[in-house]
Amino acid sequence: MKEQNNDILLLKKICRQYDLGVLIKPPFALKGGFMHKMYALFTEKGKYAVKLLNPYVMQRADALENFQTAERLELLLEKNKLPILPAISFGDRKMQQTDGQYFYLYPWYDGKVIKGQDIKEKHCKKIGKILARIHALDCRRDSYLPEEIHIDWDYYAEQFFIKNKELYQLLVNNRKLLIESQEKGNKALKYMPKKEAVCHNDMDAKNVLWAGDECRIIDLECLSYSSPYMEMYELALCWSGYEECNIDFNLFQTFISAYEKAGGELPIDWEVLYDCNFGRLEWLEYNMKRALGIDCSKEEVAVGISEVKDTIAHARYYAVVKDEILNSVL
């Protein structure tokens, strides 16, 4: 509660400093993100959304450089009229800072996130097409250099044995699966095509706002150059029910087909993509740290615990449906 009250005071100061107008109702938190905090600001001059960037993320050595890259690519998407919700610029800068807190300010868009069970073919077709357009903005051959991941699962098990017996048991029970996934993923990276392109890197359902059949893509701070094959595959999974551990393979194929018809290039070896899709392990490690209270606020611990459970459930489901995934694309 104290932290939220401090946020409210900061948001009122932002309204004054950036001449947003007097608040006509108290700022209120918006749901959806797992890393940063979002608030709605309704003032006499307009409606806005503000993203308070996680201070622990901003302490990383490469944080500011990554955000600067994302801002340059956001401008590229704006120039090419992609359906995004870009941050408002002040003084030729999108990222702002008040009292040591970095933030982005956005115009309000009266749309809503579509829940997994409400995703239809029309949504998959539209997002698949938009993704192909993003990937076509700037492609580079022979430049994608993926990095292997090396997570010490036993270290985290030891830490959880002391601090959280439930997560300790969960990690122990799934140790073999996690190790095999990491090893197969690292091996498969050697066979990944070296093509890279502009990628959103987090364009799942929670980061798209819909108003009827129109949409706006949000959370653009992860924009970077990465593998278009991996992003296409990961998003086809996410938009077809992977998050709910219940993939609708008709939606999966619909997404991929729409991407290809819009000019997106499909891979030759889908099994390489399947094995390389182990980025969730890095997300799992990040949340194991949060669950242990490492480099995060106290209120993030509960989020970390929940995400550890969900991410391991996803890893288990992903292993079970391997043959169905590959059979649907081969």
Side-chain angles (χ1 to χ4, degrees), residues 61-130:
D62 58 352
L64 286 176
E65 182 180 352
N66 290 341
F67 278 106
Q68 288 168 1
T69 297
E71 289 185 19
R72 289 196 300 271
L73 295 178
E74 181 178 314
L75 290 170
L76 179 62
L77 267 64
E78 283 186 81
K79 180 181 178 181
N80 285 273
K81 303 187 184 304
L82 271 298
I84 63 173
L85 192 63
I88 300 172
S89 294
F90 295 91
D92 296 323
R93 289 182 293 121
K94 289 179 177 289
M95 181 187 289
Q96 306 299 318
Q97 185 181 20
T98 294
D99 292 349
Q101 171 68 60
Y102 290 98
F103 67 92
Y104 286 111
L105 188 71
Y106 303 91
W108 185 261
Y109 181 73
D110 199 15
K112 65 178 182 178
V113 169
I114 294 181
K115 301 296 184 181
Q117 64 270 19
D118 296 323
I119 293 175
K120 309 297 182 185
E121 284 190 18
K122 64 179 182 179
H123 303 120
C124 292
K125 288 179 180 179
K126 194 173 189 72
I127 299 302
K129 180 179 178 180
I130 292 171

Side-chain angles (χ1 to χ4, degrees), residues 188-249:
L189 286 177
K190 298 177 175 63
Y191 303 98
M192 271 291 293
K194 301 306 179 185
K195 176 184 175 181
E196 69 175 7
V198 177
C199 291
H200 181 284
N201 295 305
D202 197 19
M203 207 168 77
D204 58 16
K206 75 178 185 301
N207 288 329
V208 181
L209 299 177
W210 296 84
D213 290 333
E214 297 301 313
C215 69
R216 292 294 183 274
I217 299 164
I218 61 173
D219 275 16
L220 301 164
E221 65 270 9
C222 289
L223 281 164
S224 69
Y225 287 93
S226 191
S227 169
Y229 302 106
M230 281 305 306
E231 179 162 60
M232 174 277 300
Y233 174 67
E234 291 170 356
L235 289 181
L237 289 171
C238 289
W239 282 87
S240 60
Y242 174 76
E243 299 290 342
E244 293 75 35
C245 294
N246 185 26
I247 295 174
D248 180 327
F249 287 97

Side-chain angles (χ1 to χ4, degrees), residues 4 10 30 35 40 45 68 74 78 99 123 135 139 174-175 185 193 206 218 225 234 259 261 270 278 282:
Q4 187 174 30
L10 175 67
L30 299 172
M35 190 174 295
K45 292 187 176 181
Q68 288 168 1
E74 181 178 314
E78 283 186 81
D99 292 349
H123 303 120
H135 288 170
C139 296
N174 293 280
R175 179 180 182 274
K206 75 178 185 301
I218 61 173
Y225 287 93
E234 291 170 356
Y259 177 83
K261 288 178 180 178
W270 286 93
F278 65 160
E282 292 180 293

Side-chain angles (χ1 to χ4, degrees), residues 15 20-25 41-48:
C15 286
L20 303 181
V22 177
L23 287 164
I24 58 176
K25 63 191 304 185
L41 301 177
F42 290 2
T43 78
E44 59 183 353
K45 292 187 176 181
K47 298 179 180 180
Y48 308 91

